[in-house]
Amino acid sequence: MTWKRTELAKLEAASTIDGLRKTRHPNRYGKEAALAGWLRRFGADEKVIAALVAAREAAWNSGDVAAYRELLTEDADIVSATGRAARGRDALLKLYAEQHAGALAGAVTHTKVTHVRMLSDDVALADVEYRMTGGRASKVGAIRRGLMAFVLRRENGRWRIAAIRSIPAPAAKEPGKPTKSTTPRKPTKPTKPTKPRKPAKPKKAKKK
């Protein structure tokens, strides 16, 4: 009986101490602690995701296919700003190499993460603004800026890119060249009213 009472007293004392801790340090316990921990993890994940997008920009600009591969999941896919799609990491990298040798040769992209939304503990959606400079202007002009959506997935503790969707902004019109629809028409001159004709005089009959 003495042993049981002693153990019970220890449990009661531990419970009292735990209650005091929760009262004095609410940020370490309960819902508040869970929320604070999630915010800390989210802030850390957001920084890692921004760094991942920046690493993709560096690999894309330098033409480093090997470095780009390391940033992608095996099932990664893309719909590029040119409208072409690729499914799977190898197909995505093949499209990347083709475009760098063709329409996007010499182009440099600049990206900026504007928002990150955690869809789950290991899946995130990032909104990214992009701007493209250089390259073949005649072919790249319509896709020089726009928005991108990145789906990112954490695999074995590391974030990677699972999907990319590019949405080019409408091409800006050149200043000083109004379209036909905006060109004002010249006012038409009012027509002069026609004078009424005088009735013809009746012919006089000739005398026989």
Side-chain angles (χ1 to χ4, degrees):
M1 293 294 292
T2 305
W3 178 84
K4 288 183 179 180
R5 289 177 180 175
T6 303
E7 292 300 315
L8 182 60
K10 288 181 179 179
L11 290 173
E12 289 177 348
S15 178
T16 302
I17 293 171
D18 190 51
L20 290 172
R21 285 174 178 171
K22 290 181 180 179
T23 302
R24 293 176 181 176
H25 308 285
N27 292 332
R28 297 181 186 176
Y29 303 91
K31 294 181 180 179
E32 293 82 1
L35 178 59
W38 183 87
L39 289 174
R40 284 194 298 272
R41 289 195 303 273
F42 173 72
D45 288 336
E46 191 173 16
K47 291 179 181 178
V48 172
I49 289 169
L52 175 57
V53 174
R56 183 259 179 191
E57 175 189 310
W60 196 97
N61 289 335
S62 63
D64 192 339
V65 177
Y68 198 175
R69 173 182 288 273
E70 290 299 313
L71 306 177
L72 303 170
T73 61
E74 187 176 355
D75 61 348
D77 61 29
I78 188 173
V79 176
S80 72
T82 59
R84 296 181 63 185
R87 313 294 180 192
R89 181 168 56 196
D90 291 339
L92 188 157
L93 293 172
K94 181 181 178 182
L95 174 61
Y96 162 72
E98 288 177 0
Q99 291 186 326
H100 261 255
L104 303 181
V108 176
T109 186
H110 311 270
T111 53
K112 178 184 177 183
V113 177
T114 59
H115 180 70
V116 175
R117 177 185 173 188
M118 299 298 297
L119 303 179
S120 70
D121 288 344
D122 297 317
V123 179
L125 174 65
D127 296 336
V128 178
E129 292 178 351
Y130 80 87
R131 181 172 53 87
M132 198 174 293
T133 57
R136 300 176 182 177
S138 59
K139 294 184 178 181
V140 187
I143 54 171
R144 284 199 169 273
R145 61 186 180 86
L147 301 175
M148 302 174 78
F150 281 66
V151 177
L152 308 112
R153 190 167 70 230
R154 180 162 31 206
E155 295 180 341
N156 300 321
R158 180 178 174 181
W159 284 100
R160 285 186 170 88
I161 300 168
I164 302 174
R165 296 294 182 270
S166 299
I167 308 167
K173 296 178 181 178
E174 294 183 18
K177 292 185 178 181
T179 58
K180 292 181 179 180
S181 59
T182 59
T183 304
R185 295 181 179 180
K186 293 182 179 180
T188 56
K189 295 181 180 180
T191 56
K192 296 180 180 180
T194 56
K195 296 180 180 180
R197 292 183 180 181
K198 296 180 180 180
K201 294 180 180 180
K203 293 183 180 180
K204 295 181 179 179
K206 294 182 178 179
K207 294 180 179 179
K208 292 182 180 180

